Amino acid sequence: MKILVVGGGGREHALVWKIAQSPLVEKIYCAPGNPGIAALAENVPLAVDDIAGLCAFARDNAIDLTVVGPELPLTLGIADTFKQAGLAIFGPSKAAARIEGSKGFSKDLMRKYGIKTADYASFDQRDAAVAYIRAHGAPIVIKADGLAAGKGVILAQSEEEAIAAVDDILVNKKFGAAGSSLVIEEFLRGEEASFFAFTDGKNVLPLASSQDHKQIFDGDKGPNTGGMGAYSPAPVVNDALYQRIVAEVVQPTIDGMAAEGCPYCGILFVGLMIENDDFKVLEFNARFGDPEAQPLLMRMKSDVVPVLLDCARGELTTTALEWHDSAAVCVVLASAGYPGSYSKGDVINGIDAANAIDGVHVFHAGTAARDGAIVTAGGRVLGVTGIGADVAAAIETAYAGTRAISWPGMQLRSDIGRKALNREGK
Ligand code: AMP
Ligand code: GLY
């Protein structure tokens, strides 16, 4: 079978790496892909939001299944266009992708179906938003309604900071149409975890637990990023919480989406805040997490392709996924300056040496090929993923991989996975 993967980051490299192991697959294309993906798939120079181009490519090349990595094409309706053309695609419809594309939609869904989340209200008028902030005080969280490239969530420490965020979004239109309305919500404390489940719109197939590291600096300091590292399994999600998240969040969300007339097919990403063995939902995303996909797919024993196909067909037959007993840890290597403006074009050394270490796999994110070398081309550049018997061993492996790699200004966190060790009392 022929598969097209849409995207070109670490998540898509990990997806292509996993899909390539399936005996069902004879050829993989990736649009636009990256130099790491090029070793496993044929890269196609089409942008992720070129939906007409991607659809024509899939039709002309008799692609049996298209797998969508990032949220942008989903919110633009790529799944609808492919289905209308009779092409199989893994990923939710435009209406279902509102679960990520509109904070107001997802918060209202949670309220309606009794899914625990931070208290909130939605606004499109400045004065009403300011009155709400004055009434509730700080810290308080302001979220632009639409997609804002990860910059639309402001954790305001004072009422003034919150009001400035409201002005930026509603008055100064900092995020354009993505900020025509906003959500203001209660500030939650605790430890974050990411939870994923495949779904055909009715049945759910949960993945192993995982945790991301959002902030740029060690100890969860500094501004938020797309994710500086991830690991699986995550002991903060103990067995009891795991079962509750499936029963109290994942299944009611999928049932609720169907009841709303927009059944959700694909992978559901639940962002959770966990405190005192209880949780609230921070957000939903309509896709796999990045970097979470990297350790999760390295640990997944089951062939992922039949699951992706079943979800695309709307008929999930697999009832449980198999996992390797090992743990996996992904450490992201980022460019100098990230998550602000960052340098590009620096030559990266040592990728082959890192890959030669037993248990290490280097996934490419923001890289480019230039004159026979691999150079930096994005904020998050590589995901160095290591496996080990437990999280402690996987941390050792992943960091051994990072020590083999260098370029001027390379930055990484030195404490990826540390929370798991603290929890295990190590
Ligand atoms: P979101 O895109 O909604 O997940 O927000 C991005 C990040 O902001 C989350 O991963 C959290 O780190 C943080 N965040 C979002 N909402 C809240 C909240 N209500 N309380 C505390 N932190 C939050
Ligand atoms: N790592 C978080 C995300 O993919 O949004």
Side-chain angles (χ1 to χ4, degrees), residues 235-321:
V236 64
V237 183
N238 58 35
D239 287 348
L241 275 180
Y242 187 97
Q243 303 301 339
R244 284 187 54 206
I245 293 163
V246 174
E248 297 173 26
V249 179
V250 178
Q251 191 68 59
T253 299
I254 297 308
D255 294 346
M257 292 295 281
E260 293 297 303
C262 46
Y264 185 98
C265 299
I267 187 165
L268 180 70
F269 174 164
V270 186
L272 296 153
M273 189 69 95
I274 299 176
E275 196 181 28
N276 301 329
D277 278 342
D278 204 358
F279 61 82
K280 285 186 177 168
V281 174
L282 283 173
E283 63 162 347
F284 291 118
N285 292 312
R287 55 177 170 83
F288 233 134
D290 193 358
E292 293 95 319
Q294 301 175 47
L296 280 169
L297 289 166
M298 270 189 87
R299 286 193 62 221
M300 194 183 288
K301 202 182 212 175
S302 307
D303 186 349
V304 76
V305 173
V307 177
L308 299 172
L309 272 172
D310 278 0
C311 292
R313 281 198 200 110
E315 226 175 282
L316 191 52
T317 50
T318 311
T319 49
L321 289 165

Side-chain angles (χ1 to χ4, degrees), residues 53-109:
L54 291 164
C55 190
F57 179 88
R59 195 189 52 227
D60 296 348
N61 291 277
I63 299 295
D64 299 290
L65 175 68
T66 297
V67 180
V68 185
E71 62 277 16
L72 180 62
L74 295 168
T75 58
L76 293 174
I78 190 170
D80 310 70
T81 303
F82 271 59
K83 286 202 174 129
Q84 275 155 22
L87 294 163
I89 186 160
F90 174 84
S93 68
K94 181 176 183 173
R98 283 181 298 167
I99 206 160
E100 173 166 6
S102 166
K103 300 274 188 204
F105 175 84
S106 73
K107 295 293 290 189
D108 292 348
L109 183 87

Side-chain angles (χ1 to χ4, degrees), residues 138-149:
I140 194 161
V141 182
I142 315 295
K143 299 184 175 186
D145 185 74
L147 292 184

Side-chain angles (χ1 to χ4, degrees), residues 1-5 19 25 27-30 63-67 305 308:
M1 132 181 1
K2 291 198 252 178
I3 295 192
L4 168 65
V5 174
I19 289 168
V25 174
K27 169 105 186 163
I28 309 173
Y29 297 91
C30 190
I63 299 295
D64 299 290
L65 175 68
T66 297
V67 180
V305 173
L308 299 172

